[in-house]
Amino acid sequence: MQKEIVAFQIDLQDNVATALDPIAEGDSVVLTGEHTIPSLVAVGDIPVGHKIALCAIRAGEDIVKYGVVIGRATVDIPAGSWVHLHVMHSIYDERSGHLDVNTGAPKDTKYE
């Protein structure tokens, strides 16, 4: 069932917005804040507090939040998709690509 969820676009330059509630695939996402588009439809589930792509973002392109580049896409990201460690890496934390998408635990460390 489609329902209306709010996401917050912080700056007009942002190509992602923050989910203010959990978003389910098919939900209509209405933007608040300094938004460039009024709404979009989620193409997958997005946890509360996580980013949703406001437009298609190609692999290698910048992820912009707060009006600044926070990371780069590692794969093509369709509009309405969840934007997190599984599709981007941080430009501030070199290890971000080695963290588990759900737990944040390092995947590149072996404990013996």
Side-chain angles (χ1 to χ4, degrees):
M1 170 186 261
Q2 183 180 17
K3 59 183 179 179
E4 195 170 274
I5 303 293
V6 177
F8 185 66
Q9 183 178 357
I10 298 166
D11 189 276
L12 287 172
Q13 297 177 60
D14 295 352
N15 57 8
V16 296
T18 303
L20 300 181
D21 288 300
I23 300 172
E25 182 176 352
D27 282 350
S28 177
V29 180
V30 176
L31 298 178
T32 187
E34 298 294 322
H35 56 81
T36 54
I37 58 172
S39 66
L40 70 156
V41 175
V43 297
D45 296 341
I46 302 165
V48 64
H50 286 242
K51 296 173 290 299
I52 183 172
L54 299 178
C55 58
I57 304 168
R58 290 194 172 282
E61 288 185 342
D62 294 338
I63 305 295
V64 182
K65 186 176 178 180
Y66 316 107
V68 299
V69 176
I70 62 166
R72 293 213 173 68
T74 55
V75 297
D76 290 343
I77 305 169
S81 296
W82 180 28
V83 179
H84 196 50
L85 300 174
H86 63 299
V87 295
M88 67 169 286
H89 72 271
S90 170
I91 61 168
Y92 299 107
D93 181 358
E94 291 299 320
R95 289 195 69 208
S96 66
H98 301 285
L99 302 177
D100 181 88
V101 68
N102 295 307
T103 66
K107 296 187 297 184
D108 61 348
T109 303
K110 276 182 112 172
Y111 299 98
E112 297 182 32

